[in-house]
Every structure is written in C-alpha cells, then in structure tokens.
Amino acid sequence: MTTPSNPASIGETMGVRFSEPTRGPCLNCGAETEQFAGKSYCDPCVAEREEAQRAYAAETRLLDLVSAGYLRCSTGQVRFSRARPAGPNAEAWRRARQTTDNLWLWGPPGVGKSYLCQCILTDYVLRGGVCAAETSVRSVVNIAPWATQDLQRWMLPGLLLLDDVDKVAWTEATLAMFWELLDNRCAARRRTLVTANMKPSDFAQTLKERIPQNRSLADSTLDRLKPVQSLEFTG
C-alpha cells in the first residue's frame, strides 16, 4: 500500500479535509493576518493575550498564597512599582533588587526594611516563583517546638522572609532549632531574607553573650545564610 506523501492527501485518505491558510482581519485589532483553524489573531495580539494570561496566573497565585497565610494580606499591594524608598536608602533598594543572594537588612525601626522584603516577595511570585512566605522569627521560636509541621513549612518556600531576628530571647535550644531551619534552606539553595535592628556581627556577639556555653553555635547559624549581603538602612 502506497502512503500519500502530503498532508492533504493523508487527510483525504483518513476522511479529513484540511483547510488551507487564508488571510483575514485579526479579531482583536483588525490587522490583516494569516488565519487557519485555531488561529484568528495576529502574532502581536497572540503574544499580548499570552502575557495577560501569565500575569493573571501570577496574580491568582499571589492571592492564593495570601489566603493560605503564607503572605501578609498587605503583600499583594506592596510592589516595587508603587514603592518610594527614602533617599538615604535608595542605594540599598537598588542593590537588593539586583542580587539573588540572601539578604540581611538592618537598621532602626520604621525605615522600610520589611517593606522592601515584601516587595521582593511579591515580585518573586509575580515572576513565577513557586512559593514565598514570611513570618516573624518570634513565631518560629514560639510555635515550632510544639508544631514541627510549622518548622517544615518554613523550610519549603523558595523565598522566605524572617522578620525581626533580634527580637527573640534566644536560648541554646531555640538557636539550635533556628540553625536547623537555616541549614535545611541552605542545603536546598532556597533564598532567605532577614530583617534586624543590628548588623550581623553585633547580632552574633549578642548571641555569644547570651549562650556562652556554646559560642560557636552563633557563628555556625549565621554561616547558614551565606552567601549573604548585609544592607544598612538609615532614617
């Protein structure tokens, strides 16, 4: 049996007749374009529709994360396009947006550290990030020992904000648990953002004074964040 050599004859052999491409107006903008079964829009309009669909999917994912409690309800509205960083911190904002390293943002309260991190979280999700989450370190310390699934939940996000790391009455047990969280994220190469009122070296010294019986644990915990950029905020 001889097999037909062109698509039209193949279709006819199977009882299907293929339609030939034609020229006609795009259903969206009216520009003349090639049309055939399943294609009634010009290429620019097709690309625009696909981009709109991707943006809608990202917005839906962001809302799902907010409703699931991974992100604060305000995070969906906190975006770089709406942010107006204070002049003294503009350089820190620029560096934070350009790097993919872990971040340690430090400075006095109310200067925009958490706000910047929430912009990064939103941008990550809208760019197709699988999962983002934020929590205060105090919540990790107070909840995780009694609910190990919460510690596991904070290990998994591709991007995690740990807020106010220096507002915890650290003990050797809670710091060891925090080391476990950061070590897991480091091994999986998941990015972590940290905010604090003090720079990393001062925080490490505070931990050593609080836990003198295991001073090396402080340095080891901070090592789990490398590579990390330390950015100072003022104002």
Side-chain angles (χ1 to χ4, degrees):
M1 178 178 176
T2 303
T3 303
S5 60
N6 61 76
S9 57
I10 292 174
E12 290 170 1
T13 302
M14 300 176 64
V16 177
R17 181 173 295 277
F18 292 94
S19 60
E20 294 293 331
T22 60
R23 304 290 296 182
C26 169
L27 294 184
N28 183 55
C29 68
E32 185 179 2
T33 184
E34 185 179 69
Q35 296 182 341
F36 47 84
K39 183 179 185 299
S40 302
Y41 298 88
C42 65
D43 290 342
C45 287
V46 169
E48 184 179 339
R49 285 164 61 89
E50 290 176 347
E51 180 58 33
Q53 290 171 351
R54 283 192 292 268
Y56 175 77
E59 290 281 358
T60 302
R61 185 167 59 253
L62 181 61
L63 292 174
D64 287 344
L65 288 173
V66 171
S67 62
Y70 274 91
L71 302 176
R72 297 179 190 175
C73 292
S74 63
T75 303
Q77 301 299 320
V78 180
R79 305 187 181 184
F80 283 117
S81 59
R82 303 172 183 172
R84 297 293 181 269
N89 301 316
E91 176 62 16
W93 276 70
R94 185 190 67 79
R95 290 176 58 189
R97 293 189 67 175
Q98 291 180 344
T99 185
T100 57
D101 291 342
N102 296 327
L103 291 177
W104 182 290
L105 308 183
W106 62 281
V111 293
K113 303 184 299 294
S114 298
Y115 186 87
L116 169 58
C117 288
Q118 289 173 4
C119 286
I120 295 174
L121 289 169
T122 302
D123 188 63
Y124 171 80
V125 174
L126 294 178
R127 289 177 179 269
V130 176
C131 183
E134 60 177 301
T135 184
S136 69
V137 179
R138 189 178 301 170
S139 296
V140 176
V141 171
N142 291 342
I143 296 174
W146 294 274
T148 55
Q149 68 274 14
D150 280 333
L151 187 61
Q152 292 289 333
R153 182 180 68 178
W154 290 318
M155 290 178 179
L156 296 177
L159 180 61
L160 174 66
L161 165 58
L162 293 168
D163 225 355
D164 296 328
V165 71
D166 52 352
K167 290 184 172 59
V168 175
W170 290 102
T171 65
E172 185 173 6
T174 56
L175 187 58
M177 181 189 61
F178 192 58
W179 178 93
E180 180 183 356
L181 168 62
L182 295 180
D183 182 63
N184 183 283
R185 295 186 57 78
C186 176
R189 297 185 178 181
R190 297 187 174 108
R191 192 181 182 201
T192 305
L193 314 176
V194 176
T195 69
N197 293 142
M198 60 180 68
K199 57 186 177 181
S201 58
D202 290 346
F203 177 68
Q205 183 60 36
T206 298
L207 290 178
K208 291 174 183 177
E209 293 171 359
R210 185 178 291 274
I211 311 170
Q213 71 277 16
N214 194 351
R215 295 170 61 89
S216 64
L217 183 57
D219 290 329
S220 178
T221 299
L222 293 184
D223 281 344
R224 299 303 90 192
L225 283 171
K226 294 179 179 177
V228 61
Q229 285 202 32
S230 173
L231 301 178
E232 182 181 7
F233 279 62
T234 60

